Amino acid sequence: MSKKSIDWNEGLMNDLKDPEFARGFVEACLEEGVPLQVAVGKVVKAQGYSAVARKVHMAVPNVMRAVQPKAYPTIASLSKLLNRVGLKFAA
C-alpha cells in the first residue's frame, strides 16, 4: 500500500471515532451500495471492538461476528450497532 493510502486510511479511522462523522459515513456508504455490515464494521473497528461491545452491551466476539460480511447477524445485533452512531432501521 502506498504512503498516501496508509495516511488516508489512518485519517478515516480517526474521523470515524466521531459519532456524527460515523453516522454520515454509514449513510453515504449505504447510498453508494456498500453492504451495511462493511460500513458498520469500519466504524466498529475504528472505535474499537471492546469499547463498542461495552457500550452496546454485547460480547466482543458477537460484535466481531456481526460485522463480518459473510456472517448472518440478527437484526437486534445490527440495530444495537447502528444505534451507536444514531441510526436505526426503518420500515
PDB file of all heavy atoms in Angstrom, residues 1-43:
ATOM      1  N   MET A   1       0.840  -1.169   0.000  1.00  0.00           N
ATOM      2  CA  MET A   1       0.000   0.000   0.000  1.00  0.00           C
ATOM      3  C   MET A   1       0.890   1.239   0.000  1.00  0.00           C
ATOM      4  O   MET A   1       1.907   1.285   0.664  1.00  0.00           O
ATOM      5  CB  MET A   1      -0.877  -0.011   1.251  1.00  0.00           C
ATOM      6  CG  MET A   1      -2.250   0.484   0.981  1.00  0.00           C
ATOM      7  SD  MET A   1      -3.397   0.596   2.376  1.00  0.00           S
ATOM      8  CE  MET A   1      -3.291  -0.938   3.222  1.00  0.00           C
ATOM      9  N   SER A   2       0.491   2.240  -0.752  1.00  0.00           N
ATOM     10  CA  SER A   2       1.298   3.453  -0.829  1.00  0.00           C
ATOM     11  C   SER A   2       1.144   4.284   0.442  1.00  0.00           C
ATOM     12  O   SER A   2       0.209   4.114   1.217  1.00  0.00           O
ATOM     13  CB  SER A   2       0.875   4.287  -2.038  1.00  0.00           C
ATOM     14  OG  SER A   2      -0.401   4.851  -1.818  1.00  0.00           O
ATOM     15  N   LYS A   3       2.080   5.201   0.644  1.00  0.00           N
ATOM     16  CA  LYS A   3       2.049   6.074   1.824  1.00  0.00           C
ATOM     17  C   LYS A   3       0.771   6.891   1.857  1.00  0.00           C
ATOM     18  O   LYS A   3       0.151   7.042   2.904  1.00  0.00           O
ATOM     19  CB  LYS A   3       3.278   6.991   1.811  1.00  0.00           C
ATOM     20  CG  LYS A   3       3.246   8.058   2.889  1.00  0.00           C
ATOM     21  CD  LYS A   3       4.310   7.849   3.897  1.00  0.00           C
ATOM     22  CE  LYS A   3       4.441   8.993   4.864  1.00  0.00           C
ATOM     23  NZ  LYS A   3       3.441   8.992   5.912  1.00  0.00           N
ATOM     24  N   LYS A   4       0.331   7.418   0.707  1.00  0.00           N
ATOM     25  CA  LYS A   4      -0.902   8.208   0.663  1.00  0.00           C
ATOM     26  C   LYS A   4      -2.097   7.383   1.090  1.00  0.00           C
ATOM     27  O   LYS A   4      -2.965   7.854   1.809  1.00  0.00           O
ATOM     28  CB  LYS A   4      -1.132   8.768  -0.744  1.00  0.00           C
ATOM     29  CG  LYS A   4      -0.242   9.914  -1.095  1.00  0.00           C
ATOM     30  CD  LYS A   4      -0.607  10.448  -2.458  1.00  0.00           C
ATOM     31  CE  LYS A   4       0.330  11.589  -2.839  1.00  0.00           C
ATOM     32  NZ  LYS A   4      -0.005  12.141  -4.146  1.00  0.00           N
ATOM     33  N   SER A   5      -2.139   6.131   0.655  1.00  0.00           N
ATOM     34  CA  SER A   5      -3.241   5.248   1.007  1.00  0.00           C
ATOM     35  C   SER A   5      -3.251   4.976   2.514  1.00  0.00           C
ATOM     36  O   SER A   5      -4.298   4.988   3.150  1.00  0.00           O
ATOM     37  CB  SER A   5      -3.132   3.939   0.234  1.00  0.00           C
ATOM     38  OG  SER A   5      -4.198   3.092   0.542  1.00  0.00           O
ATOM     39  N   ILE A   6      -2.087   4.741   3.074  1.00  0.00           N
ATOM     40  CA  ILE A   6      -1.981   4.499   4.511  1.00  0.00           C
ATOM     41  C   ILE A   6      -2.418   5.740   5.280  1.00  0.00           C
ATOM     42  O   ILE A   6      -3.201   5.653   6.221  1.00  0.00           O
ATOM     43  CB  ILE A   6      -0.547   4.074   4.897  1.00  0.00           C
ATOM     44  CG1 ILE A   6      -0.254   2.682   4.332  1.00  0.00           C
ATOM     45  CG2 ILE A   6      -0.361   4.085   6.414  1.00  0.00           C
ATOM     46  CD1 ILE A   6       1.192   2.268   4.428  1.00  0.00           C
ATOM     47  N   ASP A   7      -1.950   6.920   4.872  1.00  0.00           N
ATOM     48  CA  ASP A   7      -2.333   8.164   5.536  1.00  0.00           C
ATOM     49  C   ASP A   7      -3.834   8.382   5.457  1.00  0.00           C
ATOM     50  O   ASP A   7      -4.463   8.787   6.421  1.00  0.00           O
ATOM     51  CB  ASP A   7      -1.606   9.359   4.910  1.00  0.00           C
ATOM     52  CG  ASP A   7      -0.118   9.368   5.210  1.00  0.00           C
ATOM     53  OD1 ASP A   7       0.313   8.637   6.126  1.00  0.00           O
ATOM     54  OD2 ASP A   7       0.613  10.093   4.515  1.00  0.00           O
ATOM     55  N   TRP A   8      -4.421   8.106   4.287  1.00  0.00           N
ATOM     56  CA  TRP A   8      -5.847   8.296   4.103  1.00  0.00           C
ATOM     57  C   TRP A   8      -6.636   7.371   5.016  1.00  0.00           C
ATOM     58  O   TRP A   8      -7.586   7.785   5.680  1.00  0.00           O
ATOM     59  CB  TRP A   8      -6.210   8.043   2.636  1.00  0.00           C
ATOM     60  CG  TRP A   8      -7.628   8.351   2.324  1.00  0.00           C
ATOM     61  CD1 TRP A   8      -8.137   9.555   1.951  1.00  0.00           C
ATOM     62  CD2 TRP A   8      -8.741   7.455   2.373  1.00  0.00           C
ATOM     63  NE1 TRP A   8      -9.489   9.458   1.752  1.00  0.00           N
ATOM     64  CE2 TRP A   8      -9.892   8.173   2.001  1.00  0.00           C
ATOM     65  CE3 TRP A   8      -8.879   6.113   2.682  1.00  0.00           C
ATOM     66  CZ2 TRP A   8     -11.156   7.608   1.943  1.00  0.00           C
ATOM     67  CZ3 TRP A   8     -10.147   5.537   2.626  1.00  0.00           C
ATOM     68  CH2 TRP A   8     -11.260   6.285   2.256  1.00  0.00           C
ATOM     69  N   ASN A   9      -6.221   6.102   5.086  1.00  0.00           N
ATOM     70  CA  ASN A   9      -6.910   5.137   5.940  1.00  0.00           C
ATOM     71  C   ASN A   9      -6.787   5.500   7.410  1.00  0.00           C
ATOM     72  O   ASN A   9      -7.749   5.369   8.165  1.00  0.00           O
ATOM     73  CB  ASN A   9      -6.385   3.725   5.697  1.00  0.00           C
ATOM     74  CG  ASN A   9      -6.896   3.141   4.403  1.00  0.00           C
ATOM     75  OD1 ASN A   9      -8.021   3.372   4.012  1.00  0.00           O
ATOM     76  ND2 ASN A   9      -6.053   2.387   3.730  1.00  0.00           N
ATOM     77  N   GLU A  10      -5.618   5.970   7.831  1.00  0.00           N
ATOM     78  CA  GLU A  10      -5.435   6.389   9.219  1.00  0.00           C
ATOM     79  C   GLU A  10      -6.316   7.588   9.525  1.00  0.00           C
ATOM     80  O   GLU A  10      -6.924   7.667  10.596  1.00  0.00           O
ATOM     81  CB  GLU A  10      -3.968   6.714   9.495  1.00  0.00           C
ATOM     82  CG  GLU A  10      -3.092   5.490   9.578  1.00  0.00           C
ATOM     83  CD  GLU A  10      -1.617   5.817   9.769  1.00  0.00           C
ATOM     84  OE1 GLU A  10      -1.257   7.009   9.893  1.00  0.00           O
ATOM     85  OE2 GLU A  10      -0.818   4.878   9.770  1.00  0.00           O
ATOM     86  N   GLY A  11      -6.394   8.516   8.586  1.00  0.00           N
ATOM     87  CA  GLY A  11      -7.251   9.691   8.774  1.00  0.00           C
ATOM     88  C   GLY A  11      -8.711   9.303   8.882  1.00  0.00           C
ATOM     89  O   GLY A  11      -9.444   9.827   9.734  1.00  0.00           O
ATOM     90  N   LEU A  12      -9.143   8.375   8.037  1.00  0.00           N
ATOM     91  CA  LEU A  12     -10.524   7.910   8.086  1.00  0.00           C
ATOM     92  C   LEU A  12     -10.808   7.247   9.430  1.00  0.00           C
ATOM     93  O   LEU A  12     -11.845   7.501  10.046  1.00  0.00           O
ATOM     94  CB  LEU A  12     -10.813   6.938   6.942  1.00  0.00           C
ATOM     95  CG  LEU A  12     -12.205   6.315   6.931  1.00  0.00           C
ATOM     96  CD1 LEU A  12     -13.288   7.383   6.802  1.00  0.00           C
ATOM     97  CD2 LEU A  12     -12.319   5.286   5.823  1.00  0.00           C
ATOM     98  N   MET A  13      -9.898   6.410   9.899  1.00  0.00           N
ATOM     99  CA  MET A  13     -10.097   5.734  11.185  1.00  0.00           C
ATOM    100  C   MET A  13     -10.218   6.736  12.323  1.00  0.00           C
ATOM    101  O   MET A  13     -11.039   6.559  13.227  1.00  0.00           O
ATOM    102  CB  MET A  13      -8.962   4.738  11.464  1.00  0.00           C
ATOM    103  CG  MET A  13      -9.009   3.517  10.608  1.00  0.00           C
ATOM    104  SD  MET A  13     -10.525   2.597  10.911  1.00  0.00           S
ATOM    105  CE  MET A  13     -10.474   1.418   9.615  1.00  0.00           C
ATOM    106  N   ASN A  14      -9.439   7.798  12.285  1.00  0.00           N
ATOM    107  CA  ASN A  14      -9.557   8.838  13.310  1.00  0.00           C
ATOM    108  C   ASN A  14     -10.896   9.555  13.206  1.00  0.00           C
ATOM    109  O   ASN A  14     -11.547   9.814  14.213  1.00  0.00           O
ATOM    110  CB  ASN A  14      -8.405   9.844  13.207  1.00  0.00           C
ATOM    111  CG  ASN A  14      -7.122   9.286  13.756  1.00  0.00           C
ATOM    112  OD1 ASN A  14      -7.124   8.469  14.671  1.00  0.00           O
ATOM    113  ND2 ASN A  14      -6.007   9.714  13.200  1.00  0.00           N
ATOM    114  N   ASP A  15     -11.309   9.874  11.981  1.00  0.00           N
ATOM    115  CA  ASP A  15     -12.581  10.573  11.782  1.00  0.00           C
ATOM    116  C   ASP A  15     -13.772   9.729  12.221  1.00  0.00           C
ATOM    117  O   ASP A  15     -14.757  10.249  12.740  1.00  0.00           O
ATOM    118  CB  ASP A  15     -12.756  10.964  10.309  1.00  0.00           C
ATOM    119  CG  ASP A  15     -11.805  12.062   9.870  1.00  0.00           C
ATOM    120  OD1 ASP A  15     -11.270  12.791  10.748  1.00  0.00           O
ATOM    121  OD2 ASP A  15     -11.600  12.204   8.652  1.00  0.00           O
ATOM    122  N   LEU A  16     -13.689   8.413  12.026  1.00  0.00           N
ATOM    123  CA  LEU A  16     -14.801   7.532  12.372  1.00  0.00           C
ATOM    124  C   LEU A  16     -15.013   7.397  13.876  1.00  0.00           C
ATOM    125  O   LEU A  16     -16.030   6.855  14.310  1.00  0.00           O
ATOM    126  CB  LEU A  16     -14.602   6.148  11.746  1.00  0.00           C
ATOM    127  CG  LEU A  16     -14.811   6.081  10.239  1.00  0.00           C
ATOM    128  CD1 LEU A  16     -14.449   4.697   9.714  1.00  0.00           C
ATOM    129  CD2 LEU A  16     -16.226   6.450   9.856  1.00  0.00           C
ATOM    130  N   LYS A  17     -14.118   7.908  14.663  1.00  0.00           N
ATOM    131  CA  LYS A  17     -14.305   7.894  16.116  1.00  0.00           C
ATOM    132  C   LYS A  17     -15.353   8.906  16.547  1.00  0.00           C
ATOM    133  O   LYS A  17     -15.936   8.787  17.616  1.00  0.00           O
ATOM    134  CB  LYS A  17     -12.968   8.153  16.823  1.00  0.00           C
ATOM    135  CG  LYS A  17     -12.005   7.008  16.637  1.00  0.00           C
ATOM    136  CD  LYS A  17     -10.663   7.293  17.260  1.00  0.00           C
ATOM    137  CE  LYS A  17      -9.702   6.140  16.946  1.00  0.00           C
ATOM    138  NZ  LYS A  17      -8.352   6.428  17.403  1.00  0.00           N
ATOM    139  N   ASP A  18     -15.615   9.893  15.698  1.00  0.00           N
ATOM    140  CA  ASP A  18     -16.637  10.908  15.972  1.00  0.00           C
ATOM    141  C   ASP A  18     -18.005  10.360  15.547  1.00  0.00           C
ATOM    142  O   ASP A  18     -18.190  10.022  14.379  1.00  0.00           O
ATOM    143  CB  ASP A  18     -16.311  12.180  15.189  1.00  0.00           C
ATOM    144  CG  ASP A  18     -17.407  13.211  15.276  1.00  0.00           C
ATOM    145  OD1 ASP A  18     -18.005  13.371  16.354  1.00  0.00           O
ATOM    146  OD2 ASP A  18     -17.676  13.869  14.241  1.00  0.00           O
ATOM    147  N   PRO A  19     -18.972  10.263  16.479  1.00  0.00           N
ATOM    148  CA  PRO A  19     -20.275   9.686  16.142  1.00  0.00           C
ATOM    149  C   PRO A  19     -20.998  10.395  14.993  1.00  0.00           C
ATOM    150  O   PRO A  19     -21.643   9.743  14.170  1.00  0.00           O
ATOM    151  CB  PRO A  19     -21.074   9.812  17.440  1.00  0.00           C
ATOM    152  CG  PRO A  19     -20.043   9.880  18.512  1.00  0.00           C
ATOM    153  CD  PRO A  19     -18.869  10.587  17.899  1.00  0.00           C
ATOM    154  N   GLU A  20     -20.900  11.694  14.903  1.00  0.00           N
ATOM    155  CA  GLU A  20     -21.553  12.437  13.815  1.00  0.00           C
ATOM    156  C   GLU A  20     -20.941  12.060  12.467  1.00  0.00           C
ATOM    157  O   GLU A  20     -21.649  11.819  11.495  1.00  0.00           O
ATOM    158  CB  GLU A  20     -21.434  13.947  14.033  1.00  0.00           C
ATOM    159  CG  GLU A  20     -22.294  14.473  15.148  1.00  0.00           C
ATOM    160  CD  GLU A  20     -23.774  14.378  14.818  1.00  0.00           C
ATOM    161  OE1 GLU A  20     -24.168  14.710  13.673  1.00  0.00           O
ATOM    162  OE2 GLU A  20     -24.538  13.976  15.703  1.00  0.00           O
ATOM    163  N   PHE A  21     -19.622  12.018  12.412  1.00  0.00           N
ATOM    164  CA  PHE A  21     -18.940  11.641  11.183  1.00  0.00           C
ATOM    165  C   PHE A  21     -19.273  10.193  10.831  1.00  0.00           C
ATOM    166  O   PHE A  21     -19.535   9.872   9.673  1.00  0.00           O
ATOM    167  CB  PHE A  21     -17.424  11.822  11.309  1.00  0.00           C
ATOM    168  CG  PHE A  21     -16.691  11.520  10.036  1.00  0.00           C
ATOM    169  CD1 PHE A  21     -16.476  12.511   9.102  1.00  0.00           C
ATOM    170  CD2 PHE A  21     -16.236  10.232   9.758  1.00  0.00           C
ATOM    171  CE1 PHE A  21     -15.818  12.234   7.903  1.00  0.00           C
ATOM    172  CE2 PHE A  21     -15.579   9.941   8.573  1.00  0.00           C
ATOM    173  CZ  PHE A  21     -15.370  10.953   7.635  1.00  0.00           C
ATOM    174  N   ALA A  22     -19.276   9.331  11.840  1.00  0.00           N
ATOM    175  CA  ALA A  22     -19.557   7.917  11.617  1.00  0.00           C
ATOM    176  C   ALA A  22     -20.956   7.725  11.036  1.00  0.00           C
ATOM    177  O   ALA A  22     -21.148   6.922  10.120  1.00  0.00           O
ATOM    178  CB  ALA A  22     -19.396   7.131  12.918  1.00  0.00           C
ATOM    179  N   ARG A  23     -21.935   8.464  11.552  1.00  0.00           N
ATOM    180  CA  ARG A  23     -23.297   8.357  11.033  1.00  0.00           C
ATOM    181  C   ARG A  23     -23.336   8.762   9.558  1.00  0.00           C
ATOM    182  O   ARG A  23     -23.909   8.073   8.725  1.00  0.00           O
ATOM    183  CB  ARG A  23     -24.273   9.202  11.840  1.00  0.00           C
ATOM    184  CG  ARG A  23     -25.705   9.055  11.317  1.00  0.00           C
ATOM    185  CD  ARG A  23     -26.755   9.779  12.115  1.00  0.00           C
ATOM    186  NE  ARG A  23     -26.474  11.181  12.220  1.00  0.00           N
ATOM    187  CZ  ARG A  23     -26.367  11.836  13.380  1.00  0.00           C
ATOM    188  NH1 ARG A  23     -26.524  11.217  14.520  1.00  0.00           N
ATOM    189  NH2 ARG A  23     -26.122  13.126  13.396  1.00  0.00           N
ATOM    190  N   GLY A  24     -22.706   9.884   9.238  1.00  0.00           N
ATOM    191  CA  GLY A  24     -22.652  10.335   7.853  1.00  0.00           C
ATOM    192  C   GLY A  24     -21.935   9.343   6.957  1.00  0.00           C
ATOM    193  O   GLY A  24     -22.335   9.117   5.810  1.00  0.00           O
ATOM    194  N   PHE A  25     -20.893   8.739   7.474  1.00  0.00           N
ATOM    195  CA  PHE A  25     -20.131   7.743   6.723  1.00  0.00           C
ATOM    196  C   PHE A  25     -21.009   6.537   6.394  1.00  0.00           C
ATOM    197  O   PHE A  25     -21.044   6.078   5.248  1.00  0.00           O
ATOM    198  CB  PHE A  25     -18.902   7.306   7.534  1.00  0.00           C
ATOM    199  CG  PHE A  25     -18.123   6.188   6.919  1.00  0.00           C
ATOM    200  CD1 PHE A  25     -17.222   6.428   5.897  1.00  0.00           C
ATOM    201  CD2 PHE A  25     -18.294   4.878   7.353  1.00  0.00           C
ATOM    202  CE1 PHE A  25     -16.495   5.392   5.315  1.00  0.00           C
ATOM    203  CE2 PHE A  25     -17.582   3.837   6.791  1.00  0.00           C
ATOM    204  CZ  PHE A  25     -16.672   4.101   5.767  1.00  0.00           C
ATOM    205  N   VAL A  26     -21.726   6.024   7.383  1.00  0.00           N
ATOM    206  CA  VAL A  26     -22.585   4.863   7.156  1.00  0.00           C
ATOM    207  C   VAL A  26     -23.685   5.215   6.157  1.00  0.00           C
ATOM    208  O   VAL A  26     -23.960   4.448   5.232  1.00  0.00           O
ATOM    209  CB  VAL A  26     -23.176   4.333   8.484  1.00  0.00           C
ATOM    210  CG1 VAL A  26     -24.239   3.266   8.227  1.00  0.00           C
ATOM    211  CG2 VAL A  26     -22.069   3.775   9.378  1.00  0.00           C
ATOM    212  N   GLU A  27     -24.288   6.383   6.305  1.00  0.00           N
ATOM    213  CA  GLU A  27     -25.338   6.801   5.364  1.00  0.00           C
ATOM    214  C   GLU A  27     -24.791   6.893   3.942  1.00  0.00           C
ATOM    215  O   GLU A  27     -25.426   6.425   2.994  1.00  0.00           O
ATOM    216  CB  GLU A  27     -25.927   8.139   5.789  1.00  0.00           C
ATOM    217  CG  GLU A  27     -26.776   8.052   7.045  1.00  0.00           C
ATOM    218  CD  GLU A  27     -27.201   9.418   7.576  1.00  0.00           C
ATOM    219  OE1 GLU A  27     -26.584  10.449   7.196  1.00  0.00           O
ATOM    220  OE2 GLU A  27     -28.151   9.447   8.368  1.00  0.00           O
ATOM    221  N   ALA A  28     -23.612   7.494   3.791  1.00  0.00           N
ATOM    222  CA  ALA A  28     -23.001   7.625   2.464  1.00  0.00           C
ATOM    223  C   ALA A  28     -22.660   6.267   1.875  1.00  0.00           C
ATOM    224  O   ALA A  28     -22.867   6.024   0.676  1.00  0.00           O
ATOM    225  CB  ALA A  28     -21.754   8.503   2.545  1.00  0.00           C
ATOM    226  N   CYS A  29     -22.154   5.375   2.699  1.00  0.00           N
ATOM    227  CA  CYS A  29     -21.833   4.021   2.223  1.00  0.00           C
ATOM    228  C   CYS A  29     -23.083   3.326   1.706  1.00  0.00           C
ATOM    229  O   CYS A  29     -23.060   2.711   0.636  1.00  0.00           O
ATOM    230  CB  CYS A  29     -21.211   3.195   3.351  1.00  0.00           C
ATOM    231  SG  CYS A  29     -19.496   3.614   3.709  1.00  0.00           S
ATOM    232  N   LEU A  30     -24.180   3.433   2.445  1.00  0.00           N
ATOM    233  CA  LEU A  30     -25.418   2.778   2.026  1.00  0.00           C
ATOM    234  C   LEU A  30     -25.937   3.370   0.725  1.00  0.00           C
ATOM    235  O   LEU A  30     -26.421   2.642  -0.144  1.00  0.00           O
ATOM    236  CB  LEU A  30     -26.466   2.868   3.135  1.00  0.00           C
ATOM    237  CG  LEU A  30     -26.126   2.095   4.409  1.00  0.00           C
ATOM    238  CD1 LEU A  30     -27.186   2.333   5.473  1.00  0.00           C
ATOM    239  CD2 LEU A  30     -25.957   0.617   4.132  1.00  0.00           C
ATOM    240  N   GLU A  31     -25.814   4.678   0.573  1.00  0.00           N
ATOM    241  CA  GLU A  31     -26.237   5.318  -0.670  1.00  0.00           C
ATOM    242  C   GLU A  31     -25.411   4.840  -1.858  1.00  0.00           C
ATOM    243  O   GLU A  31     -25.904   4.773  -2.978  1.00  0.00           O
ATOM    244  CB  GLU A  31     -26.125   6.842  -0.550  1.00  0.00           C
ATOM    245  CG  GLU A  31     -27.185   7.460   0.328  1.00  0.00           C
ATOM    246  CD  GLU A  31     -26.976   8.951   0.535  1.00  0.00           C
ATOM    247  OE1 GLU A  31     -26.127   9.557  -0.150  1.00  0.00           O
ATOM    248  OE2 GLU A  31     -27.676   9.505   1.400  1.00  0.00           O
ATOM    249  N   GLU A  32     -24.161   4.498  -1.609  1.00  0.00           N
ATOM    250  CA  GLU A  32     -23.265   4.028  -2.669  1.00  0.00           C
ATOM    251  C   GLU A  32     -23.349   2.520  -2.892  1.00  0.00           C
ATOM    252  O   GLU A  32     -22.641   1.979  -3.730  1.00  0.00           O
ATOM    253  CB  GLU A  32     -21.815   4.420  -2.338  1.00  0.00           C
ATOM    254  CG  GLU A  32     -21.558   5.905  -2.384  1.00  0.00           C
ATOM    255  CD  GLU A  32     -21.729   6.481  -3.774  1.00  0.00           C
ATOM    256  OE1 GLU A  32     -21.308   5.838  -4.760  1.00  0.00           O
ATOM    257  OE2 GLU A  32     -22.308   7.580  -3.886  1.00  0.00           O
ATOM    258  N   GLY A  33     -24.179   1.846  -2.115  1.00  0.00           N
ATOM    259  CA  GLY A  33     -24.354   0.412  -2.298  1.00  0.00           C
ATOM    260  C   GLY A  33     -23.376  -0.451  -1.518  1.00  0.00           C
ATOM    261  O   GLY A  33     -23.282  -1.652  -1.761  1.00  0.00           O
ATOM    262  N   VAL A  34     -22.655   0.138  -0.586  1.00  0.00           N
ATOM    263  CA  VAL A  34     -21.739  -0.640   0.264  1.00  0.00           C
ATOM    264  C   VAL A  34     -22.605  -1.438   1.244  1.00  0.00           C
ATOM    265  O   VAL A  34     -23.540  -0.890   1.832  1.00  0.00           O
ATOM    266  CB  VAL A  34     -20.777   0.295   1.027  1.00  0.00           C
ATOM    267  CG1 VAL A  34     -19.923  -0.477   2.014  1.00  0.00           C
ATOM    268  CG2 VAL A  34     -19.915   1.073   0.048  1.00  0.00           C
ATOM    269  N   PRO A  35     -22.334  -2.725   1.415  1.00  0.00           N
ATOM    270  CA  PRO A  35     -23.124  -3.519   2.366  1.00  0.00           C
ATOM    271  C   PRO A  35     -23.077  -2.929   3.781  1.00  0.00           C
ATOM    272  O   PRO A  35     -22.042  -2.425   4.227  1.00  0.00           O
ATOM    273  CB  PRO A  35     -22.448  -4.893   2.336  1.00  0.00           C
ATOM    274  CG  PRO A  35     -21.768  -4.947   1.007  1.00  0.00           C
ATOM    275  CD  PRO A  35     -21.329  -3.530   0.724  1.00  0.00           C
ATOM    276  N   LEU A  36     -24.211  -3.005   4.452  1.00  0.00           N
ATOM    277  CA  LEU A  36     -24.339  -2.455   5.800  1.00  0.00           C
ATOM    278  C   LEU A  36     -23.259  -2.984   6.733  1.00  0.00           C
ATOM    279  O   LEU A  36     -22.639  -2.223   7.468  1.00  0.00           O
ATOM    280  CB  LEU A  36     -25.725  -2.777   6.360  1.00  0.00           C
ATOM    281  CG  LEU A  36     -25.991  -2.353   7.796  1.00  0.00           C
ATOM    282  CD1 LEU A  36     -25.899  -0.833   7.929  1.00  0.00           C
ATOM    283  CD2 LEU A  36     -27.345  -2.843   8.253  1.00  0.00           C
ATOM    284  N   GLN A  37     -23.009  -4.286   6.704  1.00  0.00           N
ATOM    285  CA  GLN A  37     -22.019  -4.875   7.607  1.00  0.00           C
ATOM    286  C   GLN A  37     -20.619  -4.325   7.354  1.00  0.00           C
ATOM    287  O   GLN A  37     -19.848  -4.148   8.287  1.00  0.00           O
ATOM    288  CB  GLN A  37     -22.014  -6.390   7.488  1.00  0.00           C
ATOM    289  CG  GLN A  37     -23.242  -7.020   8.119  1.00  0.00           C
ATOM    290  CD  GLN A  37     -23.353  -8.468   7.762  1.00  0.00           C
ATOM    291  OE1 GLN A  37     -23.917  -8.789   6.729  1.00  0.00           O
ATOM    292  NE2 GLN A  37     -22.825  -9.332   8.597  1.00  0.00           N
ATOM    293  N   VAL A  38     -20.293  -4.028   6.121  1.00  0.00           N
ATOM    294  CA  VAL A  38     -18.972  -3.481   5.808  1.00  0.00           C
ATOM    295  C   VAL A  38     -18.851  -2.068   6.363  1.00  0.00           C
ATOM    296  O   VAL A  38     -17.854  -1.715   7.003  1.00  0.00           O
ATOM    297  CB  VAL A  38     -18.720  -3.498   4.280  1.00  0.00           C
ATOM    298  CG1 VAL A  38     -17.446  -2.759   3.929  1.00  0.00           C
ATOM    299  CG2 VAL A  38     -18.671  -4.930   3.773  1.00  0.00           C
ATOM    300  N   ALA A  39     -19.878  -1.252   6.143  1.00  0.00           N
ATOM    301  CA  ALA A  39     -19.849   0.132   6.622  1.00  0.00           C
ATOM    302  C   ALA A  39     -19.783   0.181   8.145  1.00  0.00           C
ATOM    303  O   ALA A  39     -18.945   0.878   8.720  1.00  0.00           O
ATOM    304  CB  ALA A  39     -21.077   0.886   6.118  1.00  0.00           C
ATOM    305  N   VAL A  40     -20.652  -0.564   8.800  1.00  0.00           N
ATOM    306  CA  VAL A  40     -20.673  -0.581  10.265  1.00  0.00           C
ATOM    307  C   VAL A  40     -19.377  -1.195  10.795  1.00  0.00           C
ATOM    308  O   VAL A  40     -18.838  -0.752  11.807  1.00  0.00           O
ATOM    309  CB  VAL A  40     -21.915  -1.331  10.791  1.00  0.00           C
ATOM    310  CG1 VAL A  40     -21.852  -1.511  12.301  1.00  0.00           C
ATOM    311  CG2 VAL A  40     -23.180  -0.570  10.408  1.00  0.00           C
ATOM    312  N   GLY A  41     -18.859  -2.184  10.094  1.00  0.00           N
ATOM    313  CA  GLY A  41     -17.602  -2.815  10.508  1.00  0.00           C
ATOM    314  C   GLY A  41     -16.441  -1.842  10.549  1.00  0.00           C
ATOM    315  O   GLY A  41     -15.605  -1.896  11.446  1.00  0.00           O
ATOM    316  N   LYS A  42     -16.378  -0.937   9.597  1.00  0.00           N
ATOM    317  CA  LYS A  42     -15.302   0.071   9.594  1.00  0.00           C
ATOM    318  C   LYS A  42     -15.433   0.992  10.803  1.00  0.00           C
ATOM    319  O   LYS A  42     -14.446   1.351  11.435  1.00  0.00           O
ATOM    320  CB  LYS A  42     -15.317   0.868   8.304  1.00  0.00           C
ATOM    321  CG  LYS A  42     -14.845   0.050   7.114  1.00  0.00           C
ATOM    322  CD  LYS A  42     -14.569   0.922   5.925  1.00  0.00           C
ATOM    323  CE  LYS A  42     -14.121   0.123   4.730  1.00  0.00           C
ATOM    324  NZ  LYS A  42     -12.875  -0.588   4.897  1.00  0.00           N
ATOM    325  N   VAL A  43     -16.665   1.358  11.133  1.00  0.00           N
ATOM    326  CA  VAL A  43     -16.898   2.220  12.301  1.00  0.00           C
ATOM    327  C   VAL A  43     -16.502   1.494  13.577  1.00  0.00           C
ATOM    328  O   VAL A  43     -15.799   2.045  14.431  1.00  0.00           O
ATOM    329  CB  VAL A  43     -18.365   2.684  12.368  1.00  0.00           C
ATOM    330  CG1 VAL A  43     -18.643   3.434  13.659  1.00  0.00           C
ATOM    331  CG2 VAL A  43     -18.713   3.542  11.157  1.00  0.00           C
TER     332      VAL A  43
END
